[in-house]
Amino acid sequence: MASSAPSAPQHPTTGARTVRDAVVIGGNRIPFARANGKYADASNQDMLTAALDGLVARFGLQGERIGAVAAGAVLKHSRDFNLVREAVLGTALDPATPAYDVQMACATGMEAIGSLANKIKLGQLDSAIGGGVDTTSDAPIAVSEGLRRVLLEFSRARSGKQRLAALSKFRPKDLAPNAPGTGEPRTGLSMGEHQALTTAAWGITREAQDELALASHQNLAAAYDRHFFDDLITEYRGLSRDNNLRADTTLEKLGTLKPVFGKDLGSKATMTAGNSTPLTDGASAVLLGSEEYARQHDLPMLANFVDFEAGAVDFVHGREGLLMAPAYAVPRLLERNGLTLQDFDFYEIHEAFAGTVLSTLAAWEDEDFCRNKLGLDAALGPIDRSRLNVAGSSLAAGHPFAATGGRIVATLAKLLHEKGSGRGLISVCAAGGQGVVAILEAR
Amino acid sequence: MTNRYQKLVSAGPAKEVAKRLGLPRPAELRRYRPSEPLVPGPVLVLGSGASAEPVSEQLLAWGLDVYRHQPQGRRLGAVIVAYDDVSHPGDLADAALELGPAVRQLAPSGRVITVSRPARAGDAPAVAAARRGVEGLLRSLARELRGGATGNGILLAEGVGAGAPSALAALRFLLSGRSAYVDGQFLSVGSENGAAPEDWDRPLAGRVAVVTGAARGIGAAIARVLARDGAKIVAVDVPAAGGALTSVANEVRGTALQLDITRADAGHLILEHALERHGGLDIVVHNAGITRDKLLVNMDEARWKSVLAVNIESQLRMNEAFLGAGRDGLRIVSLASTSGIAGNRGQTNYAASKAGVMGMVEASAADFAAIGGGINAVAPGFIETDMTAKVPVPTRAVARLLMPSLMQGGLPVDVAEAIAFLASDAAAGINGETLRVCGQSLIGR
Ligand SMILES: NC(=O)c1ccc[n+]([C@@H]2O[C@H](COP(=O)([O-])OP(=O)(O)OC[C@H]3O[C@@H](n4cnc5c(N)ncnc54)[C@H](O)[C@@H]3O)[C@@H](O)[C@H]2O)c1
């Protein structure tokens, strides 16, 4: 918890043990690649292993036993049941490093990192690595439900007759495979279609979305140019920058793109491929530790992982937008830490869609929403937009679902360390109407 | 690692054909492996110079068989000639005429090493003639040696005895497999500085060493050899080479620092990383380098400037930062090239940068000596790496096979061994020098 927050609750104690700081030491990711491109034949395990090995090389962790490695993937092959442990075994880390998989849609990385931070705070771990990976290129493809039933029955059959009977249930249409979609199982709507409803409900304009997308590209490009990512990214398969980045894009170019979501809104449709994140492949990892661990190993301390909070909304019955959970989680997190929305030097709001970020900000500025939905006395108010996603975000970098949390935590921790003081707020929305938000504090 | 031609001509019927046609047959060179014998047989010490005594004593202390007269019927591991007393060209004869028959007995990958004094402007003409005569003799003999044997010399500055730590370290380096591809060269020992390591197999124990351009090629080999010799490695390369850099850093259990060395603050960032993460900075190897070959008539600004920027300007700037930070005892080894010595068609920019490295090293020696450190260069000849794989095949074949006395290209590890030697405290008496690792080639690169 924030040691500097005056009204923060006292650290709970267990016996003689006090809750201690969990420190972000550094991070590493591979550049994010647009799906079916540079990493088309890289598996989740390959990419996570590369991200971890880069982290090991950066911090000299070869042969080290890390307390725990937690990460995950949103799209997973069934063969990857122990994805993270398998990845760890392929790295230069001590094979005695425990590892486990976490899964919470696009908030997977945040949940993994936040939970590890808690374990460090409690003294259960001294060091940990959290992160995530996703590929939509090497995605698991399942056989159709019909074929699956046939195959299961066939394998249970004892006699030739039973086997024949099982096979006779096979229909040619069963051959069509099931590729995983980003559609919501309960509504059948894709994430983009859900967001299009929210974007329209909050009256977010096309121009505002394109401006946010432009800023994302410009900020990411500028961060690369000032070598900001030299110690956050490791080249992979010939790629040393996120290849979704369009450093030279303009409002005019973004303005020419045709809407792809909410098309039934006709001329009011605003969401294009330019202000929505593309499908992306990539992996990220963040090294966490206690202060003592960092000192003992002569490692840098970029920021404290102060606190985090999950949220969820009822989007199924249309009571709230699919990606609005962070709007609800943030006020709870602020309250617990005695902070206001304006008490931050950096805001990292994951750009699933430009509309997501802008709807969330609009909601926090809306008196009615804050009183009636959040139960507050007044609006949370506006944020200083010059502090938003200052090193670029998902619209420019891309969004390999589970890898985004690690990208954001490492980026924000470094931004805070560079500044030398202050706090940052992270907000990541996720499928299923969920989200995770977090606070980091400079060291 | 041998190339296809070498494999073809060193075995079977092809060997006979190659022999009859008089084609060169490269020998497999003896390369260093920890705890293997220093030389492949007894050592014969010839000559009447004062150095014969301390050298023989040291050889005995290293557990070698030492003879002052050629032993009957034994293959010699090395012949050392104490020529440090010659004052007239006539003084060369006795040892030279004893050396001839001894060379016949030299084992494969054996060594001939002269110990002498450098000719100086103030010397009597006959003294200078005799001293320079040693160099001519040795360089020619090196061209006559076969079977992977090499000939090199140690030049002792006035006032420096053969028992000086760096003279003995040079002797050990030249005897060992570490100097496999060093041939026809002289190592100048300028002072009695330096100290022998506690363990000759881990001379860099406890040292923190930065290697630039460590992702591949010679740089990766340097990182491996320095780590094998006990150093903690900071492996530096551009972010675009990050994946390969990661593998090298993890292999040598060091840290990776992604950094373009042409950045104005490169020296500062290297210092910061080394001090904060490893608590010190003892060795810097300026290895990162590029080629952008074109005849001068076709040379464009980008080719010219980028080569100079990476290969020499960055080093000048980083060295200033290191000197400014007052890192006591800091030892620098910089990569030159035989192109910078002999010149090479199509490499005006590269040769300017590499000759520049040698100039820098000479001129910086005093400043580094003042902080108890030193700076030297290694000039590789033709080394088999990704960089030279870009050289057109015919040029490569000629460079590799015909020109060097050793009749083959060197391996990255050969350059790395020379660098590890110059980076060690035992080499502290060697400063401002350039050592060629070229198999005694005639041409540049
Ligand atoms: N290979 C030879 O035959 C030969 C001969 C003489 C001298 N050399 C010298 O040896 C050195 C290594 O040569 P190599 O054959 O291994 O070359 P190489 O091209 O295989 O490796 C050079 C490394 O330096 C890195 N590098 C280039 N510019 C950099 C920069 N601005 N910042 C950081 N790193 C940078 C590259 O990424 C690469 O990993 C060079 O200085 C070269 O001039 C090589």
Side-chain angles (χ1 to χ4, degrees), chain A residues 28 50 53-54 56-63 92 226-227 229-236 240 297-300, chain B residues 232 239-247 249-260 263 273 276-279:
Chain A
N28 184 56
D53 257 340
V56 169
R58 182 159 302 139
F59 295 107
L61 304 174
Q62 304 86 7
R226 69 177 183 97
H227 303 287
F229 293 116
D230 279 9
D231 61 356
L232 289 176
I233 293 182
T234 302
E235 170 269 344
Y236 184 60
S240 44
H297 291 76
D298 295 319
L299 293 170
Chain B
K232 185 53 118 178
L245 186 68
T246 290
S247 306
N250 284 345
E251 183 190 330
V252 303
R253 291 178 159 240
T255 53
L257 174 60
Q258 303 193 120
L259 173 69
D260 184 332
R263 281 175 63 179
H273 181 102
E276 282 181 12
R277 308 287 288 286
H278 305 291

Side-chain angles (χ1 to χ4, degrees), chain B residues 88-133:
Chain B
H88 191 281
D91 297 343
L92 297 171
D94 286 354
L97 296 175
E98 265 188 275
L99 181 53
V103 163
R104 277 190 192 285
Q105 294 305 115
L106 204 57
S109 286
R111 300 285 187 257
V112 175
I113 298 168
T114 59
V115 180
S116 61
R117 304 243 175 229
R120 294 174 313 167
D123 288 342
V127 170
R131 290 177 171 183
R132 287 293 286 273

Side-chain angles (χ1 to χ4, degrees), chain A residues 34-272:
Chain A
R34 289 173 68 97
N36 299 312
K38 275 276 184 186
Y39 306 162
D41 56 2
S43 69
N44 275 336
Q45 192 181 321
D46 294 338
M47 292 192 290
L48 185 59
T49 305
L52 290 170
D53 257 340
L55 191 74
V56 169
R58 182 159 302 139
F59 295 107
L61 304 174
Q62 304 86 7
E64 280 271 327
R65 189 180 95 67
I66 297 294
V69 179
V74 173
L75 298 180
K76 240 164 88 167
H77 285 270
S78 51
R79 63 159 192 250
D80 285 340
F81 63 94
N82 221 351
L83 171 65
V84 186
R85 172 66 182 150
E86 288 300 329
V88 165
L89 285 173
T91 67
L93 288 171
D94 183 345
T97 297
Y100 56 94
D101 289 25
V102 175
Q103 210 174 40
M104 193 183 178
C106 307
T108 297
M110 290 306 302
E111 173 56 34
I113 293 165
S115 301
L116 290 168
N118 280 353
K119 293 182 184 183
I120 289 172
K121 290 180 187 186
L122 284 179
Q124 294 168 337
L125 297 176
D126 291 322
S127 62
I129 297 174
V133 56
D134 254 297
T135 169
T136 40
S137 306
D138 185 37
I141 293 203
V143 296
S144 69
E145 193 57 19
L147 182 53
R148 194 178 71 89
R149 291 224 173 95
V150 171
L151 290 173
L152 287 173
E153 193 176 328
F154 183 78
S155 70
R156 280 192 292 263
R158 302 252 169 98
S159 67
K161 204 172 147 201
Q162 281 174 335
R163 284 195 194 100
L164 264 181
L167 286 182
S168 71
K169 292 183 185 155
F170 173 77
R171 298 286 171 271
K173 70 167 179 5
D174 291 339
L175 272 180
N178 274 343
T182 49
E184 282 296 328
R186 284 174 191 275
T187 61
L189 286 186
S190 74
M191 208 175 254
E193 290 304 328
H194 268 288
Q195 181 58 47
L197 298 174
T198 311
T199 305
W202 284 100
I204 308 298
T205 66
R206 166 79 186 260
E207 290 68 35
Q209 292 174 60
D210 285 355
E211 272 165 24
L212 192 84
L214 179 67
S216 190
H217 284 279
Q218 288 175 338
N219 289 345
L220 185 69
Y224 272 110
D225 288 347
R226 69 177 183 97
H227 303 287
F228 181 76
F229 293 116
D230 279 9
D231 61 356
L232 289 176
I233 293 182
T234 302
E235 170 269 344
Y236 184 60
R237 299 197 177 204
L239 203 61
S240 44
R241 286 189 176 205
D242 311 309
N243 68 2
N244 186 57
L245 172 61
R246 299 286 174 269
D248 57 352
T249 196
T250 59
L251 275 185
E252 290 67 47
K253 281 187 200 163
L254 288 165
T256 60
L257 300 172
K258 292 220 161 52
V260 290
F261 298 116
K263 283 193 274 199
D264 46 1
L265 294 167
S267 62
K268 290 211 199 99
T270 57
M271 292 179 46
T272 68

